[in-house]
Amino acid sequence: MELQNNEAVQEFLKLLMENMPSKGQDYSTMLWQVDGMARQLEQALNELQTVKQELGKMQENPVKRTVSRIVQSVEQKIHALQEQLSVVKDTIAEHAKQAVESVKQTGISALDKTVSFLGIGKALNAIQEDLNRTMADTAKSIEKIETIGHELRSVGGHLKNAG
C-alpha cells in the first residue's frame, strides 16, 4: 500500500496544506520518502532474485556457498526493513485517520495538537537515517554479490572455452 493513495492520509494532507502549508509540505515529503523507500526495498529484492537465479545455474563450490550465504543475509535484512517500514506506514495511516476524525469533531484547533504529536520532522529524520544506513549496508552487500557473480560468469565462460 502506498501511503499517498491512502484515503485518510490524503484527507489529512489536504487539511495540512490548507491550514499549515509548511507542515503539509513536510508531511508530503515524508510520505514520498517512505513510499520511495518501499520501492527501493522491492527493487533490491528483485536484484537479489536475479543473483539467486544465477547462483542456481552454477555448480556447487565454496564460492557459490559463500555468495548464497551473503544473499540470504541481505535478503533477511531487506525483509526486516520491509516489516519495519510496514509498521511505520500503518502508524502513519492510523494517525492520519485519527487526526481527520479529531478535526471533524473538534475543529481545526485539533490539527495543531496532532501535528505537534506526530513530530513529523523528527519522525522523518529518524526513519530516513535508519533506513539510509541499512540501505547503504544492503547496497554494499548487493554490489559485492554482483561483482562476485560477474567474476563467476567470467570464470564459467573461460571454463567452457577451455573445455
Side-chain angles (χ1 to χ4, degrees):
M1 151 193 91
E2 286 208 358
L3 282 172
Q4 296 173 358
N5 296 334
N6 179 289
E7 187 177 327
V9 169
Q10 287 178 346
E11 196 170 346
F12 181 57
L13 178 59
K14 181 180 176 191
L15 285 170
L16 283 175
M17 292 304 270
E18 289 171 355
N19 298 286
M20 307 171 118
S22 67
K23 296 293 183 183
Q25 191 60 43
D26 288 346
Y27 190 72
S28 177
T29 300
M30 180 183 68
L31 298 175
W32 180 81
Q33 287 183 339
V34 170
D35 285 341
M37 288 175 209
R39 285 187 295 276
Q40 286 177 329
L41 289 173
E42 194 60 41
Q43 182 181 359
L45 277 179
N46 290 337
E47 290 174 17
L48 281 178
Q49 191 62 34
T50 301
V51 172
K52 286 169 76 173
Q53 288 172 351
E54 289 293 322
L55 283 173
K57 297 174 186 175
M58 294 175 51
Q59 291 183 357
E60 196 61 42
N61 62 49
V63 175
K64 179 181 179 178
R65 286 190 289 277
T66 300
V67 173
S68 292
R69 281 193 301 273
I70 293 170
V71 167
Q72 185 177 12
S73 172
V74 170
E75 193 171 34
Q76 288 171 349
K77 287 179 186 177
I78 292 173
H79 284 299
L81 278 173
Q82 283 180 317
E83 288 177 30
Q84 289 174 347
L85 199 56
S86 178
V87 169
V88 168
K89 288 170 111 178
D90 290 346
T91 301
I92 289 170
E94 185 58 34
H95 282 155
K97 183 179 177 182
Q98 290 172 2
V100 168
E101 287 302 315
S102 223
V103 168
K104 286 178 181 177
Q105 290 174 3
T106 61
I108 294 298
S109 62
L111 196 58
D112 221 7
K113 294 175 188 174
T114 302
V115 169
S116 49
F117 171 74
L118 285 176
I120 291 170
K122 292 177 189 175
L124 176 60
N125 288 334
I127 291 167
Q128 186 67 36
E129 287 174 16
D130 187 38
L131 288 173
N132 280 343
R133 206 172 22 255
T134 307
M135 287 296 289
D137 291 344
T138 302
K140 286 179 188 175
S141 296
I142 289 172
E143 191 174 305
K144 287 178 189 175
I145 291 168
E146 287 175 344
T147 301
I148 291 170
H150 177 71
E151 290 174 12
L152 290 174
R153 285 189 295 277
S154 177
V155 168
H158 292 306
L159 289 175
K160 285 179 186 176
N161 289 338

